[in-house]
Amino acid sequence: MSMSIERHSPLSPLPAEEAAPRATLSPTLSETRIVAVLRATDSRSCSSVIATLVAAGIRSVELTLTTPGTLAALPRTVADTPDAEIGVGTVLTEADARLAVAGGAKFLVSPGLRPGVFRAAHSTSTPIYPGAMTPTEVQNAWDLGAAAVKLFPAATLGPDYVRHLAGPFPQVKLMPSGGVLLEDIASWLRAGCVAVSLGGPLIGDALEGGSLRALRARAERAVSAVQETRGDS
């Protein structure tokens, strides 16, 4: 029995896949290169923390849906902090993604690859930063139209992992998240990341009534670490 095998000439390209829409990184994040992640027990504790971060020079802030009342408080938070770029994270469903954008979210963050969240982001031209770890996940996230891929968990992977990914994926914008320490910010950026996502090492106990003065000192330290990399070629 003979079998016919379709072959493509090396001079004839394979059929092109339809490119997913892609919103670009905002000018704010492109400049500041830091996303502050606020995971609180009560959304009412976020306002003073956001104001402190903005005063120190960190203007991209992720409010997570694990914080009770985030979506309900979002429109007021956005209105009260015009100098901040407020996004919503831990977005798992298309419905929550659409509610977040309707409430004023300027970007969406998802811990994984959720097609519905991508649909909501693309339909409103909202940047989305999905979480990924393996090379396959990174490629899938980028192919789905991520503005940047949230490399998670960053503390497990390390900056050298970014350098390895740059070989096969030079076009992919990466942002580490999960255990990024203040002293490691410059290393991540020099490895090729477009920004870093900072949670506990930056926020500390500020959301539980801790010192806002100490928070500002940590935020200024983070901003200084970014500035150290400005002259890098």
Side-chain angles (χ1 to χ4, degrees):
M1 181 176 65
S2 63
M3 180 179 296
S4 175
I5 301 176
E6 182 180 357
R7 300 183 183 275
H8 291 275
S9 163
L11 299 180
S12 302
L14 293 169
E17 295 182 2
E18 183 178 353
R22 189 188 316 281
T24 59
L25 248 62
S26 71
T28 295
L29 185 54
S30 296
E31 176 189 352
T32 62
R33 306 186 75 181
I34 295 173
V35 174
V37 182
L38 274 56
R39 199 177 296 277
T41 56
D42 189 327
S43 61
R44 291 173 295 183
S45 65
C46 293
S47 58
S48 59
V49 171
I50 295 172
T52 301
L53 292 169
V54 170
I58 297 176
R59 294 184 286 126
S60 293
V61 179
E62 174 189 338
L63 306 178
T64 65
L65 291 186
T66 54
T67 300
T70 291
L71 288 176
L74 183 60
R76 175 58 63 86
T77 302
V78 171
D80 289 348
T81 54
D83 294 329
E85 175 187 62
I86 304 295
V88 172
T90 323
V91 181
L92 300 176
T93 68
E94 182 172 354
D96 280 347
R98 293 190 182 279
L99 287 172
V101 174
K106 298 299 187 294
F107 60 89
L108 300 173
V109 184
S110 179
L113 308 183
R114 309 291 292 180
V117 177
F118 277 93
R119 282 194 297 270
H122 296 332
S123 68
T124 54
S125 298
T126 303
I128 177 171
Y129 312 136
M133 180 180 181
T134 68
T136 297
E137 291 169 348
V138 169
Q139 179 175 2
N140 287 342
W142 190 252
D143 289 347
L144 285 168
V149 179
K150 184 180 78 166
L151 199 61
F152 179 87
T156 302
L157 301 170
D160 278 345
Y161 188 62
V162 174
R163 295 185 178 94
H164 288 301
L165 288 176
F169 305 124
Q171 78 282 15
V172 176
K173 294 179 172 61
L174 296 170
M175 177 171 63
S177 179
V180 176
L181 303 178
L182 302 186
E183 56 265 32
D184 294 333
I185 292 173
S187 295
W188 284 105
L189 296 179
R190 287 176 174 138
C193 293
V194 295
V196 295
S197 175
L198 301 174
L202 170 64
I203 305 304
D205 62 355
L207 291 167
E208 289 78 46
S211 169
L212 293 179
R213 179 176 297 179
L215 171 63
R216 176 151 184 170
R218 291 191 297 272
E220 289 175 345
R221 182 180 168 192
V223 170
S224 295
V226 173
Q227 292 173 345
E228 287 177 14
T229 68
R230 295 291 187 201
D232 294 353
S233 56

